[in-house]
Amino acid sequence: SLLDLEPDAAIEALVNRYNALVQKLKIELKRRSATGAAATAKRKAETEELLRPHLEELKEVENLSEARFAGRSIGTGKTRCYLIAVIKEHGVVEDRWYRAKGKQFLLVPDSKLPKPRKRKKKANLTAPDSGNV
Protein backbone atom coordinates (compact mmCIF):
# COMPACT_ATOMS: atom_id res chain seq x y z
CA SER A 1 0.00 0.00 0.00
CA LEU A 2 1.03 3.62 -0.37
CA LEU A 3 1.28 4.03 3.39
CA ASP A 4 4.08 1.45 3.57
CA LEU A 5 6.28 3.33 1.08
CA GLU A 6 8.87 5.90 2.00
CA PRO A 7 7.55 9.39 1.30
CA ASP A 8 9.37 10.98 -1.62
CA ALA A 9 8.60 13.31 -4.52
CA ALA A 10 7.54 10.53 -6.93
CA ILE A 11 4.96 9.11 -4.50
CA GLU A 12 3.63 12.57 -3.74
CA ALA A 13 3.31 13.31 -7.47
CA LEU A 14 1.46 10.02 -7.99
CA VAL A 15 -1.00 10.80 -5.18
CA ASN A 16 -1.57 14.34 -6.50
CA ARG A 17 -2.17 13.02 -10.02
CA TYR A 18 -4.67 10.44 -8.70
CA ASN A 19 -6.54 13.08 -6.67
CA ALA A 20 -6.71 15.36 -9.71
CA LEU A 21 -8.19 12.55 -11.82
CA VAL A 22 -10.79 11.77 -9.15
CA GLN A 23 -11.75 15.46 -8.96
CA LYS A 24 -12.04 15.65 -12.76
CA LEU A 25 -14.32 12.59 -12.74
CA LYS A 26 -16.58 14.15 -10.09
CA ILE A 27 -16.89 17.35 -12.13
CA GLU A 28 -17.74 15.38 -15.28
CA LEU A 29 -20.42 13.38 -13.46
CA LYS A 30 -22.00 16.62 -12.15
CA ARG A 31 -22.00 18.08 -15.67
CA ARG A 32 -23.65 14.98 -17.08
CA SER A 33 -26.35 15.00 -14.41
CA ALA A 34 -27.11 18.65 -15.23
CA THR A 35 -27.48 17.98 -18.96
CA GLY A 36 -28.73 14.40 -18.97
CA ALA A 37 -32.11 13.01 -19.92
CA ALA A 38 -33.56 13.39 -16.41
CA ALA A 39 -32.58 17.06 -16.23
CA THR A 40 -34.00 17.68 -19.71
CA ALA A 41 -37.29 16.03 -18.76
CA LYS A 42 -37.44 18.11 -15.57
CA ARG A 43 -36.87 21.38 -17.47
CA LYS A 44 -39.52 20.40 -20.04
CA ALA A 45 -42.05 19.68 -17.27
CA GLU A 46 -41.28 23.05 -15.64
CA THR A 47 -41.77 24.83 -18.96
CA GLU A 48 -45.07 23.01 -19.59
CA GLU A 49 -46.29 24.08 -16.16
CA LEU A 50 -45.26 27.68 -16.88
CA LEU A 51 -47.11 27.67 -20.21
CA ARG A 52 -50.24 25.83 -19.02
CA PRO A 53 -52.42 28.95 -18.46
CA HIS A 54 -51.37 30.41 -21.82
CA LEU A 55 -52.14 27.14 -23.64
CA GLU A 56 -55.61 26.89 -22.07
CA GLU A 57 -56.37 30.45 -23.13
CA LEU A 58 -55.03 29.78 -26.65
CA LYS A 59 -57.32 26.75 -26.99
CA GLU A 60 -60.38 28.81 -26.03
CA VAL A 61 -59.55 31.88 -28.13
CA GLU A 62 -58.69 30.01 -31.34
CA ASN A 63 -61.21 27.16 -30.83
CA LEU A 64 -58.55 24.41 -31.00
CA SER A 65 -58.74 20.74 -30.07
CA GLU A 66 -55.41 20.95 -28.28
CA ALA A 67 -52.34 23.14 -27.86
CA ARG A 68 -49.20 21.74 -26.26
CA PHE A 69 -45.55 22.60 -25.78
CA ALA A 70 -43.51 20.83 -28.47
CA GLY A 71 -40.32 20.72 -26.40
CA ARG A 72 -38.29 23.48 -28.06
CA SER A 73 -37.56 27.04 -27.08
CA ILE A 74 -35.17 29.66 -28.40
CA GLY A 75 -33.97 32.99 -27.10
CA THR A 76 -33.47 34.16 -23.54
CA GLY A 77 -35.32 36.32 -21.08
CA LYS A 78 -38.03 38.49 -22.64
CA THR A 79 -37.26 37.22 -26.14
CA ARG A 80 -37.72 33.52 -25.26
CA CYS A 81 -40.03 31.86 -27.78
CA TYR A 82 -41.72 28.48 -27.37
CA LEU A 83 -42.69 26.03 -30.12
CA ILE A 84 -46.34 25.11 -29.66
CA ALA A 85 -48.03 22.23 -31.47
CA VAL A 86 -51.50 23.48 -32.36
CA ILE A 87 -54.05 20.77 -33.15
CA LYS A 88 -57.10 22.02 -35.00
CA GLU A 89 -60.59 20.50 -35.05
CA HIS A 90 -59.96 17.98 -37.84
CA GLY A 91 -56.66 16.72 -36.40
CA VAL A 92 -54.47 19.03 -38.49
CA VAL A 93 -51.25 19.71 -36.57
CA GLU A 94 -49.44 22.99 -37.05
CA ASP A 95 -46.27 24.16 -35.26
CA ARG A 96 -46.19 27.83 -34.25
CA TRP A 97 -43.78 29.93 -32.21
CA TYR A 98 -45.21 31.98 -29.34
CA ARG A 99 -43.74 34.39 -26.82
CA ALA A 100 -45.12 35.16 -23.38
CA LYS A 101 -45.37 38.88 -22.68
CA GLY A 102 -46.90 39.43 -19.28
CA LYS A 103 -50.33 37.81 -19.43
CA GLN A 104 -50.36 37.82 -23.24
CA PHE A 105 -49.24 34.95 -25.46
CA LEU A 106 -48.09 36.41 -28.75
CA LEU A 107 -47.62 34.63 -32.08
CA VAL A 108 -44.09 35.18 -33.41
CA PRO A 109 -43.54 34.92 -37.17
CA ASP A 110 -40.46 32.97 -38.27
CA SER A 111 -38.83 36.16 -39.54
CA LYS A 112 -38.97 37.69 -36.01
CA LEU A 113 -37.51 34.73 -34.11
CA PRO A 114 -34.34 35.45 -32.10
CA LYS A 115 -31.21 34.63 -34.04
CA PRO A 116 -28.52 32.48 -32.42
CA ARG A 117 -25.46 34.43 -31.34
CA LYS A 118 -22.25 33.94 -33.24
CA ARG A 119 -19.51 32.66 -31.00
CA LYS A 120 -16.42 34.79 -30.94
CA LYS A 121 -13.12 33.13 -31.63
CA LYS A 122 -10.84 32.94 -28.63
CA ALA A 123 -7.79 35.16 -28.79
CA ASN A 124 -4.52 33.37 -29.38
CA LEU A 125 -2.55 34.23 -26.22
CA THR A 126 0.70 32.62 -27.30
CA ALA A 127 3.07 34.80 -29.23
CA PRO A 128 4.03 33.53 -32.66
CA ASP A 129 7.47 32.02 -32.85
CA SER A 130 9.68 34.74 -34.24
CA GLY A 131 12.68 32.49 -34.65
CA ASN A 132 14.76 34.42 -32.11
CA VAL A 133 16.66 32.33 -29.60
Side-chain angles (χ1 to χ4, degrees):
S1 81
L2 290 175
L3 297 175
D4 297 335
L5 298 173
E6 291 293 324
D8 69 345
I11 299 296
E12 189 174 327
L14 176 67
V15 169
N16 288 338
R17 174 85 172 128
Y18 175 78
N19 288 340
L21 289 172
V22 168
Q23 184 64 28
K24 184 178 177 182
L25 178 65
K26 286 180 182 178
I27 290 170
E28 179 66 17
L29 291 175
K30 277 186 183 179
R31 185 191 64 78
R32 285 184 186 173
S33 69
T35 59
T40 302
K42 181 181 175 187
R43 282 192 300 273
K44 184 177 177 183
E46 289 171 353
T47 303
E48 287 173 345
E49 189 61 35
L50 174 79
L51 296 175
R52 186 177 315 274
H54 296 297
L55 296 177
E56 292 297 325
E57 181 183 346
L58 185 65
K59 277 174 49 176
E60 291 175 16
V61 170
E62 295 195 22
N63 196 22
L64 303 170
S65 295
E66 189 176 355
R68 65 180 147 194
F69 177 54
R72 289 187 55 207
S73 63
I74 56 174
T76 58
K78 292 180 180 180
T79 62
R80 175 148 306 205
C81 297
Y82 304 94
L83 185 62
I84 306 298
V86 174
I87 303 169
K88 298 181 179 180
E89 291 297 323
H90 300 290
V92 178
V93 179
E94 184 179 318
D95 288 338
R96 300 180 190 167
W97 290 96
Y98 284 90
R99 178 171 60 94
K101 183 178 180 183
K103 294 190 176 199
Q104 295 177 319
F105 206 47
L106 306 173
L107 178 65
V108 180
D110 288 343
S111 61
K112 300 288 183 182
L113 288 173
K115 304 289 186 257
R117 285 192 233 163
K118 292 183 180 178
R119 295 181 186 229
K120 294 181 181 177
K121 292 183 180 178
K122 292 183 181 178
N124 187 2
L125 299 178
T126 59
D129 188 20
S130 60
N132 296 338
V133 180

